[in-house]
Amino acid sequence: MNAQNIYDDPDFQAGYVTLDRQVRGLDGASEWPVLRSLLPDLEGRRVVDLGCGFGWFSRWADEHHAASVLGLDLSTKMLDRARTDTASATVEYRRSDLDVLDLDPGSAEVVFSSLTLHYVQHLDRLLETIALSLTPGGSLVFSVEHPILSAPSIQGFETSATGDRFWKLDNYLVEGERVRTWFVDGVVKQHRTVATYVNSVVGSGLTIERLVEWGPTAVDVEVRPELADDLHRPWFLLLAALKPGNQHR
Amino acid sequence: MNAQNIYDDPDFQAGYVTLDRQVRGLDGASEWPVLRSLLPDLEGRRVVDLGCGFGWFSRWADEHHAASVLGLDLSTKMLDRARTDTASATVEYRRSDLDVLDLDPGSAEVVFSSLTLHYVQHLDRLLETIALSLTPGGSLVFSVEHPILSAPSIQGFETSATGDRFWKLDNYLVEGERVRTWFVDGVVKQHRTVATYVNSVVGSGLTIERLVEWGPTAVDVEVRPELADDLHRPWFLLLAALKPGNQHR
């Protein structure tokens, strides 16, 4: 296991469990309705959940769509709770380092990953593994921190002399590690450009179906003015891709 | 003709012709080597050049690859000079507004466009026209101003109190018109997100082959330190897409 396992750090966990999306699950994740809209029909499908965490998505796919789910995560603490919270024989959780993962070829119709791939060091290797694991017509749907969010040396907004707010963007084209403070110091994420995500997916043999740069809409900001800054840069990059071949849908 | 025709403005032209890429042609365009690398084999192909300007690309495709080229532009001044500079029976120039363009179905193996589509108001319509005009296996290759460059209300870098340089990014998620001063006031460009460009291409039935967020490399900056700011945000978005079907290459 060569990947960082910050998720088993007690101080990190103490903060992490307070996040709305960990308290309320999928309904606490603002991007979930859009991410869900990118998914194919999951009914009775074999689904792999990369970075399953507490198993929110794995359970949802099982309970709502009778999918057979394999949830993978590096954190034993998260897997322990996922197992405790899941009462289904068709969901299996397994400890796994995505940087050295192997999956059986043709073993899944859907591979899903929420906010995990920006921790992976060897993205091309993982995408090749994913592409091989999918049956023809199968889908990959994932979200990551948006590269505009992950790029800067110091993340934040600033106000100009004229009162305009803007996101301080630097080093967008400089890919590599970014070390952040998020509940604890030393959280390591991999910054990649949008083009790198797209080209890595294409390079794995999958076909890009849809890209979403997720943030609030102008209507969202009318209802919740405190979101105004979030029109300046997206939070998440969502991507849906297909393995060429017969369609499942 | 409902598109803006700033390129026929004498004051605009006076400035525009001084650009390195208008003085030296393709070799004066820093992104040209990468853009060229996205092109398929042009040998003997039928090529459409959308926003051909002075015809630099049209002539190159004709002279170096014996392509038959249809160069389209809104500016009569640019077309006049393109015709004067071109001595080939296999290059034709035609005045055209890309917002209402029709092309014959199956009439081209390659559609090319350099730094033009960010002026187009009806991108989806144009992409459908392009997709129809391509033969199966045909290619679309284009460049536009990168959305990170085109988004801000005021374009520029700033220096923080600690001496760090950054690009002032705002309104990335707010698509629509941006009015710039570029040689003259009132140059109107359309800001779209990267996702919109990708999804519009996919929606037209083409398959994304490669995306490039063009800027200098770290090596470029070592040689030319004055480019350091340009690592903070890309200049151009380059995209290559294929029409599904038999390959030409």
Side-chain angles (χ1 to χ4, degrees):
Chain A
M1 300 274 166
N2 56 18
Q4 189 194 33
N5 190 7
I6 201 83
Y7 283 75
D8 272 349
D9 178 304
D11 293 329
F12 180 89
Q13 274 279 332
Y16 185 77
V17 295
T18 67
L19 290 173
D20 207 30
R21 62 181 64 217
Q22 300 310 330
V23 174
R24 298 169 57 214
L26 299 175
D27 292 335
S30 313
E31 79 284 11
W32 169 240
V34 178
L35 189 57
R36 184 180 52 198
S37 77
L38 299 182
L39 288 166
D41 183 5
L42 298 180
E43 207 62 31
R45 301 301 184 196
R46 294 167 296 169
V47 176
V48 179
D49 181 4
L50 302 176
C52 63
F54 293 146
W56 294 109
F57 175 80
S58 294
R59 277 197 298 285
W60 176 85
D62 174 63
E63 290 168 13
H64 292 264
H65 298 285
S68 298
V69 187
L70 174 60
L72 303 174
D73 209 286
L74 186 62
S75 159
T76 49
K77 286 193 185 176
M78 302 196 81
L79 290 170
D80 285 350
R81 186 175 139 193
R83 290 189 185 105
T84 302
D85 290 356
T86 304
S88 168
T90 50
V91 180
E92 181 196 347
Y93 295 107
R94 200 182 292 169
R95 184 158 193 249
S96 174
D97 179 345
L98 299 186
D99 273 320
V100 296
L101 176 69
D102 283 315
L103 292 169
D104 290 334
S107 60
E109 282 82 33
V110 182
V111 174
F112 174 86
S113 181
S114 170
L115 301 180
T116 298
L117 300 187
H118 50 251
Y119 294 112
V120 169
Q121 294 178 53
H122 307 294
L123 182 66
D124 284 347
R125 183 197 176 282
L126 177 59
L127 284 168
E128 277 169 37
T129 300
I130 291 168
L132 262 176
S133 78
L134 287 170
T135 51
S139 288
L140 167 65
V141 174
F142 70 80
S143 66
V144 289
E145 277 196 6
H146 195 286
I148 293 175
L149 183 68
S150 70
S153 44
I154 299 167
Q155 295 170 303
F157 293 94
E158 205 160 291
T159 306
S160 74
T162 53
D164 300 313
R165 296 278 287 169
F166 51 82
W167 177 250
K168 297 194 298 177
L169 180 63
D170 67 356
N171 292 306
Y172 180 85
L173 292 175
V174 184
E175 299 193 302
E177 278 189 11
R178 299 291 190 275
V179 182
R180 306 294 183 193
T181 297
W182 188 39
F183 305 122
V184 296
D185 292 339
V187 179
V188 178
K189 300 181 182 181
Q190 303 295 328
H191 167 64
R192 298 180 175 93
T193 64
V194 174
T196 291
Y197 280 111
V198 167
N199 294 333
S200 294
V201 169
V202 171
S204 77
L206 303 179
T207 303
I208 302 290
E209 219 191 358
R210 194 154 185 89
L211 206 61
V212 177
E213 298 183 280
W214 189 87
T217 64
V219 173
D220 293 335
V221 173
E222 264 178 46
V223 179
R224 297 179 54 194
E226 72 274 18
L227 295 179
D229 270 352
D230 293 312
L231 289 173
H232 299 326
R233 59 101 187 86
W235 270 99
F236 304 123
L237 180 70
L238 281 51
L239 189 153
L242 276 182
K243 177 149 173 172
N246 293 319
Q247 302 288 322
H248 292 305
R249 339 200 145 179
Chain B
M1 300 274 167
N2 57 18
Q4 188 195 35
N5 190 5
I6 200 83
Y7 283 75
D8 272 348
D9 179 303
D11 292 331
F12 180 89
Q13 274 279 333
Y16 185 77
V17 295
T18 67
L19 290 174
D20 208 28
R21 63 182 63 216
Q22 300 310 333
V23 174
R24 297 170 56 215
L26 300 174
D27 291 335
S30 312
E31 79 283 12
W32 168 240
V34 178
L35 188 58
R36 184 179 52 197
S37 76
L38 299 182
L39 288 167
D41 183 5
L42 298 180
E43 207 63 30
R45 299 302 184 195
R46 293 167 298 170
V47 176
V48 178
D49 181 5
L50 302 174
C52 63
F54 293 145
W56 294 109
F57 174 80
S58 294
R59 277 196 298 285
W60 176 85
D62 173 64
E63 289 167 14
H64 291 265
H65 298 285
S68 297
V69 187
L70 175 61
L72 302 174
D73 209 286
L74 186 60
S75 161
T76 47
K77 287 195 186 176
M78 301 195 81
L79 290 170
D80 285 348
R81 184 172 141 195
R83 291 188 186 107
T84 302
D85 290 356
T86 304
S88 168
T90 51
V91 181
E92 181 195 349
Y93 295 107
R94 201 182 293 169
R95 186 159 190 246
S96 173
D97 179 345
L98 299 185
D99 273 320
V100 295
L101 176 69
D102 283 315
L103 292 169
D104 290 333
S107 61
E109 282 82 33
V110 181
V111 174
F112 174 85
S113 182
S114 171
L115 302 180
T116 298
L117 300 187
H118 51 252
Y119 294 112
V120 169
Q121 294 178 53
H122 307 295
L123 182 65
D124 285 347
R125 184 198 176 281
L126 177 59
L127 284 168
E128 277 169 37
T129 300
I130 291 169
L132 263 176
S133 77
L134 286 171
T135 50
S139 288
L140 167 65
V141 174
F142 71 78
S143 65
V144 289
E145 276 195 8
H146 194 286
I148 293 175
L149 183 68
S150 70
S153 44
I154 299 167
Q155 295 170 301
F157 292 94
E158 205 161 290
T159 306
S160 74
T162 53
D164 300 313
R165 296 279 286 172
F166 51 82
W167 177 249
K168 299 194 299 177
L169 179 64
D170 67 356
N171 293 306
Y172 180 86
L173 293 176
V174 184
E175 299 192 303
E177 277 189 11
R178 300 292 190 276
V179 182
R180 306 295 185 192
T181 296
W182 188 40
F183 306 122
V184 295
D185 290 341
V187 179
V188 178
K189 300 182 182 182
Q190 303 295 328
H191 167 64
R192 299 180 173 95
T193 64
V194 174
T196 291
Y197 280 112
V198 167
N199 294 333
S200 293
V201 168
V202 171
S204 77
L206 304 180
T207 303
I208 301 289
E209 219 191 358
R210 193 154 186 89
L211 206 60
V212 176
E213 298 181 281
W214 190 86
T217 63
V219 173
D220 294 333
V221 173
E222 265 178 47
V223 179
R224 296 179 53 194
E226 72 274 18
L227 296 177
D229 270 351
D230 293 314
L231 289 173
H232 298 327
R233 59 102 188 85
W235 270 98
F236 305 122
L237 180 70
L238 282 51
L239 189 152
L242 275 183
K243 177 149 173 170
N246 292 322
Q247 302 289 322
H248 290 305
R249 338 197 147 182

